[in-house]
Amino acid sequence: MSVLRPLTSAQSSSLSGMARIPGDKSMSHRVLMLGLLAEGETMISGLLESEDVLNTAMAIRALGARVVDEGDGLWRIYGAENGLLTAPSHILDMGNSGTGVRLLMGLVSGQNISVTFTGDSSLLKRPMRRITEPLERMGGRFDLSDGGILPVIVQNSGHLEAISYRLPVASAQVKSAVILAALGAEGMTTVIEDRPTRDHTENMLRHFGVNIVTEKESDDGCGWVIKLEGKQPLLGCAVDIPGDPSSAAFPVVAASLVKDSVIRLPHIGVNERRVGLYKILQEMGADIRFENSHREAGEPVADVIVKYNGPLKGVTILPEDVPGMIDEIPVLAMAAACAEGTTKMSGLAELRVKESDRLQMVAEGLKKCGVALETGEDSLTIHGTGQPPRGGALVETAYDHRIAMSFLVLGMVTNDPVQIDDSRSIVTSFPIFTDLMNNLGASIDS
Ligand code: S3P
């Protein structure tokens, strides 16, 4: 690995102006994968050109898609000829991306080819049995490394059968892997989720012409049932990717914390299952508004306007709130550290198996910045004073992009600057983060 690249964030007087947030990461991975399976041309605008997504683009090319990068987020994908994927001649290195590798494991397991996947040192630590377990029930065959981790060989299983599967963890990646495998399986697959997770795979499949039914499991519960028949054709189409609400979360929290801020972020994806953080910030007292709401490619989109509205208040986050803001908990913790009163979050077990153990990294970093907190196995309690924390610390990021960006947001309000040990991970999801924040009025510098 090359040398670390530290960055320092110092107090900002106010944030103002308009910023265009790069495309949604989840949708960008999915549009490439569905483009690979589809007949004809898929025309994409607004693709996120971050390292994670570029690794997926490389993978679909190796699997038989023709991929044309026309510049500025415009891409054309031509699906594999006659719908038949090619077995790559080399190992597919998915870098840092759990979404890339897990969804592709599902997709290729239904396609009569054998593929080997690996990843970077962070991805090599992440659990993969959650993916292979349902896919093996469908007839998929996998050689995982000891401990249920990558590298994995997805064997040519010849034939998959539909299953009915209740997700044991609230994970859109597991749900999507089963759905993508189901496209190559015989019969009707049913996936049941007790807590709704992001539904971009379902929405986008519909946009590609697939008949996929989603309905509530019961009138009073929060469970959802998803059903689709295998072997349906996908038809290439045009997809415009909105700005990523998880990336927008960083300037949104920053503008809620830095006095006198007013920012506008046009064209952000505001899918109900992604905007949990925005709703919680409103509950904490933030002034966040949505304008120009409309739908594109089956997804709701809006401009997000944030105005500083005084100190935030502590809040309680319940386990059922977590899937709707799974990637935003680190930056929410920064807001909680500045809020008045205690914020209690529970149901955070999944945070421990993200790009890093995010619960531990958040807690260690905040403590170094002078914040009082307690952690449990799956909980975090932060005691805010209503004043910005002291800061003045060097925070470790464990090559985790969301930890890195969260602490740079905290540094915009702390009394003394916050330094992160390494900023290189930011390219995995939000390559223009530093310039975008500095253009709004942040002071982030090496
Ligand atoms: C994602 C799902 C989430 C999320 C990740 C992206 C997706 O992971 O944390 O950043 O695109 O499906 P889990 O499904 O493991 O919760």
Side-chain angles (χ1 to χ4, degrees):
M1 256 213 178
S2 50
V3 282
L4 304 182
R5 205 173 304 143
L7 268 186
T8 302
S9 175
Q11 223 177 51
S12 146
S13 54
S14 71
L15 300 180
S16 65
M18 194 268 280
R20 294 205 176 273
I21 301 293
D24 186 83
K25 180 147 76 77
S26 293
M27 290 179 68
S28 294
H29 283 297
R30 284 158 172 83
V31 75
L32 293 173
M33 293 180 198
L34 298 196
L36 162 70
L37 296 178
E39 263 168 44
E41 181 188 87
T42 294
M43 211 177 78
I44 311 168
S45 49
L47 190 83
L48 171 65
E49 291 169 343
S50 75
E51 213 169 80
D52 279 6
V53 175
L54 295 179
N55 281 327
T56 292
M58 208 182 54
I60 65 152
R61 196 175 264 139
L63 290 163
R66 190 152 77 81
V67 178
V68 184
D69 171 5
E70 299 196 327
D72 215 13
L74 290 176
W75 291 62
R76 285 176 202 270
I77 312 296
Y78 300 89
E81 225 164 288
N82 304 321
L84 298 175
L85 303 200
T86 47
S89 50
H90 55 280
I91 296 175
L92 298 185
D93 185 343
M94 302 308 296
N96 193 245
S97 180
T99 307
V101 76
R102 288 177 170 147
L103 270 56
L104 278 178
M105 282 167 70
L107 186 153
V108 303
S109 68
Q111 301 290 331
N112 300 329
I113 51 170
S114 171
V115 185
T116 305
F117 292 102
T118 191
D120 71 6
S121 59
S122 153
L123 193 55
L124 288 180
K125 292 191 196 112
R126 299 182 67 185
M128 294 298 152
R129 282 212 179 99
R130 55 176 59 198
I131 301 295
T132 57
E133 193 264 329
L135 299 179
E136 278 170 354
R137 290 198 204 183
M138 300 175 86
R141 291 191 294 121
F142 301 88
D143 298 331
L144 276 172
S145 301
D146 288 350
I149 55 171
L150 298 180
V152 62
I153 305 171
V154 183
Q155 299 283 8
N156 179 351
S157 58
H159 178 78
L160 290 192
E161 289 288 343
I163 53 166
S164 176
Y165 190 66
R166 188 177 279 276
L167 295 177
V169 277
S171 165
Q173 292 179 356
V174 177
K175 172 176 69 172
S176 300
V178 176
I179 292 174
L180 293 174
L183 289 172
E186 220 52 76
M188 174 81 85
T189 293
T190 305
V191 185
I192 306 145
E193 50 181 357
D194 292 325
R195 288 197 182 135
T197 63
R198 66 190 69 193
D199 55 0
H200 302 302
T201 306
E202 300 90 305
N203 295 341
M204 205 178 277
L205 276 170
R206 245 173 240 126
H207 195 63
F208 276 78
V210 171
N211 183 15
I212 174 165
V213 177
T214 52
E215 54 198 27
K216 286 204 101 178
E217 193 180 18
S218 64
D219 288 341
D220 42 359
C222 51
W224 284 83
V225 182
I226 302 124
K227 288 186 182 155
L228 82 156
E229 184 72 40
K231 311 282 182 191
Q232 296 186 56
L234 279 74
L235 305 172
C237 54
V239 180
D240 180 47
I241 311 276
D244 193 322
S246 300
S247 298
F250 300 105
V252 165
V253 168
S256 303
L257 296 179
V258 177
K259 281 192 184 127
D260 301 327
S261 296
V262 188
I263 61 165
R264 175 182 281 266
L265 310 174
H267 201 244
I268 303 297
V270 290
N271 182 314
E272 264 302 300
R273 298 181 180 195
R274 295 289 300 282
V275 291
L277 169 83
Y278 296 68
K279 291 186 179 162
I280 289 290
L281 287 171
Q282 285 169 333
E283 205 180 312
M284 295 171 84
D287 181 351
I288 301 173
R289 286 167 211 202
F290 301 94
E291 287 180 6
N292 297 330
S293 302
H294 62 286
R295 289 187 86 83
E296 274 171 33
E299 294 275 353
V301 177
D303 297 354
V304 177
I305 295 96
V306 189
K307 286 191 187 146
Y308 176 77
N309 196 31
L312 302 178
K313 303 235 174 323
V315 74
T316 300
I317 308 293
L318 300 169
E320 56 265 35
D321 300 325
V322 174
M325 54 171 120
I326 185 72
D327 292 335
E328 288 69 72
I329 298 286
V331 76
L332 174 61
M334 306 301 135
C338 305
E340 202 181 316
T342 296
T343 293
K344 288 187 179 169
M345 310 191 205
S346 55
L348 303 183
E350 278 295 298
L351 260 74
R352 295 210 180 265
V353 289
K354 293 292 178 192
E355 285 83 329
S356 69
D357 179 340
R358 287 187 175 158
L359 195 41
Q360 184 190 336
M361 300 314 294
V362 162
E364 280 176 8
L366 282 180
K367 273 190 206 158
K368 281 191 177 174
C369 292
V371 178
L373 58 87
E374 294 103 41
T375 55
E377 203 32 55
D378 73 344
S379 64
L380 176 61
T381 303
I382 296 174
H383 305 285
T385 61
Q387 294 297 320
R390 183 193 69 224
L394 170 65
V395 171
E396 277 173 42
T397 56
Y399 200 75
D400 185 326
H401 54 134
R402 297 200 199 280
I403 298 295
M405 292 185 277
S406 297
F407 279 98
L408 292 172
V409 167
L410 186 68
M412 293 176 204
V413 286
T414 48
N415 298 330
D416 298 321
V418 173
Q419 187 181 39
I420 57 163
D421 64 344
D422 190 14
S423 58
R424 289 172 305 162
S425 59
I426 294 174
V427 297
T428 63
S429 71
F430 198 168
I432 62 166
F433 170 80
T434 305
D435 286 345
L436 183 144
M437 295 305 283
N438 284 345
N439 285 338
L440 288 173
S443 311
I444 304 175
D445 205 349
S446 50

